[in-house]
């Protein structure tokens, strides 16, 4: 038996591609038809040059080279004649509810503005309400001011402190004093506040005087001596003598109210001078001496402590 001619049952029959060779064809080799263990798909093999037009060639699977790079021998289907073209997909940047939609910058901006506005409003409310937190504790209490009626004595606080009981200093009507040198009681001019409207007149002559003996001074110190007097619209003065010592400055009985001249009834006014008194009993004398202008009626006397004493 020689090679190349082994009969119908020779190994050429086992070669599924034997029909492609001349010696196989000479020996009657036929294309396999599902035989020899090959699938029927082998029948799709066709001779060279018998390509059927109108059918799209199946692209060969892409082979990966080293490190995930494509194989150099592979050509993409779109590079071949008649190959499929690829379409580039452009994602719209506006609208749509797809997954590719960008962040809602308009909504974020509105939210940020709302947060800033809330913070500003909160700070403004805190600043406006901050002034009321201490309940007015920092405000200075306004002390009431007492208006003194003309010629009317008012009580004075003792010097011992604000917690001690207030005591009244002595007051008197001029008619109750010791009179001398032509001073006398009168009541013909209306407006006197002394009991019964009785005042001391005749004081407009040198030597006239009234003397007040003051009892009950609890503490030595400086006090204010007040005098309510009446004048006929002209200035007057008198010498003030305390505990036998004449003051260097006379008691000023000016026409502070600017009352009309010769109108005794409208000329009632008040004046005061500082005097130093001893604890216990003191004497205060008002006299018309040389150089004094004593044309005045005397109504009432009283004492008050020095402010701030």
């Amino acid at each position: 038996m020689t090679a190349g001619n082994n009969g119908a049952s020779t190994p050429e029959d086992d070669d599924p591609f034997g029909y492609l060779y001349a010696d196989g064809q000479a020996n009657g080799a036929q294309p396999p038809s599902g035989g020899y263990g090959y699938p029927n798909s082998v029948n799709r093999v066709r001779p060279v040059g018998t390509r059927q037009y109108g059918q799209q060639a199946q692209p060969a699977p892409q082979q990966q080279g080293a490190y995930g790079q494509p194989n150099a021998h592979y050509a993409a289907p779109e590079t071949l004649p008649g190959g499929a073209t690829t379409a580039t997909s452009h994602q719209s940047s506006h609208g749509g509810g797809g997954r590719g939609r960008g962040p809602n910058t308009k909504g974020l901006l509105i939210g940020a503005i709302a947060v800033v506005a809330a913070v500003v409003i909160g700070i403004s409310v805190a600043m406006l309400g901050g002034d009321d937190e201490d309940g007015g504790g920092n405000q200075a209490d306004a002390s009431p001011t007492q208006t003194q009626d003309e010629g009317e004595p008012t009580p004075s606080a003792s010097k011992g402190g604000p917690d001690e009981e207030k005591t009244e200093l002595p007051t008197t009507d001029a008619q109750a004093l010791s009179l001398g040198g032509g001073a006398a009681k009168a009541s013909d001019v209306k407006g006197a506040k002394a009991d019964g409207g009785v005042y001391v007149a005749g004081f407009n002559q040198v030597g006239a005087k009234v003397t007040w003996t003051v009892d009950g001074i609890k503490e030595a110190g400086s006090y204010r001596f007040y005098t309510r007097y009446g004048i006929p619209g002209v200035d007057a003065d008198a010498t003030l003598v305390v505990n036998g010592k004449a003051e260097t400055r006379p008691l000023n009985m000016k026409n502070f109210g600017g009352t009309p001249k010769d109108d005794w009834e409208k000329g009632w006014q008040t004046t005061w001078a500082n005097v130093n008194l001893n604890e216990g009993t003191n004497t205060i004398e008002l006299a018309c001496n040389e150089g004094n202008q004593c044309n005045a009626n005397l109504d009432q006397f009283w004492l008050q402590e020095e402010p701030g004493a």
Side-chain angles (χ1 to χ4, degrees):
M1 184 178 295
T2 60
N5 186 14
N6 293 325
S9 61
T10 59
E12 288 85 334
D13 294 333
D14 295 333
D15 187 354
F17 301 102
Y19 70 97
L20 296 176
Y21 310 117
D23 53 349
Q25 294 176 0
N27 292 320
Q30 298 294 324
S33 177
Y36 305 106
Y38 288 89
N40 292 331
S41 60
V42 177
N43 290 330
R44 289 179 298 177
V45 178
R46 58 186 176 272
V48 178
T50 60
R51 178 178 179 179
Q52 298 179 4
Y53 293 94
Q55 295 182 356
Q56 185 175 358
Q58 296 295 326
Q62 182 177 357
Q63 297 180 1
Q64 297 292 329
Y67 301 102
Q69 298 297 326
N71 192 297
H73 299 286
Y74 171 77
E78 59 267 21
T79 61
L80 299 176
T85 59
T86 59
T88 303
S89 174
H90 297 280
Q91 181 175 352
S92 174
S93 61
H94 300 285
R99 296 176 58 185
R101 181 178 180 180
N104 189 352
T105 56
K106 183 176 180 181
L108 293 177
L109 179 60
I110 295 175
I113 294 175
V115 171
V116 172
V119 172
V120 171
I121 293 174
I123 294 175
S124 301
V125 172
M127 292 178 65
L128 292 174
D131 292 338
D132 296 331
E133 290 180 358
D134 60 356
N138 293 330
Q139 295 181 353
D141 294 334
S143 301
T145 301
Q146 180 179 0
T147 302
Q148 178 180 316
D149 190 15
E150 182 190 19
E152 189 166 305
T154 56
S156 175
S158 65
K159 295 182 179 181
D163 295 334
E164 292 189 7
E165 189 175 329
K166 293 183 179 180
T167 59
E168 291 187 11
L169 291 173
T171 65
T172 186
D173 291 340
Q175 63 165 324
L177 303 180
S178 175
L179 307 180
K185 298 177 183 180
S187 60
D188 53 312
V189 176
K190 296 181 180 179
K193 291 187 176 182
D195 187 18
V198 178
Y199 56 89
V200 174
F203 192 68
N204 57 345
Q205 53 187 319
V206 176
K209 64 180 179 180
V210 293
T211 303
W212 182 23
T213 301
V214 182
D215 295 322
I217 301 300
K218 294 184 177 180
E219 185 177 354
S222 178
Y223 296 83
R224 282 187 178 182
F225 170 67
Y226 284 87
T227 300
R228 186 172 190 266
Y229 62 95
I231 54 175
V234 293
D235 296 341
D237 59 40
T239 299
L240 182 62
V241 181
V242 179
N243 293 326
K245 181 180 179 181
E247 300 290 325
T248 58
R249 298 179 62 182
L251 180 66
N252 193 355
M253 294 186 288
K254 292 182 64 175
N255 184 18
F256 297 111
T259 59
K261 189 176 180 179
D262 298 327
D263 192 338
W264 286 88
E265 187 173 333
K266 293 182 179 179
W268 294 107
Q269 301 177 56
T270 302
T271 188
W272 61 271
N274 289 332
V275 293
N276 290 319
L277 302 180
N278 302 321
E279 183 180 354
T281 302
N282 296 263
T283 60
I284 300 175
E285 182 181 281
L286 198 60
C288 182
N289 294 338
E290 291 289 344
N292 293 136
Q293 302 294 325
C294 307
N295 194 20
N297 294 328
L298 304 177
D299 185 20
Q300 291 179 319
F301 297 157
W302 67 93
L303 291 172
Q304 284 189 359
E305 289 186 351
E306 282 280 1

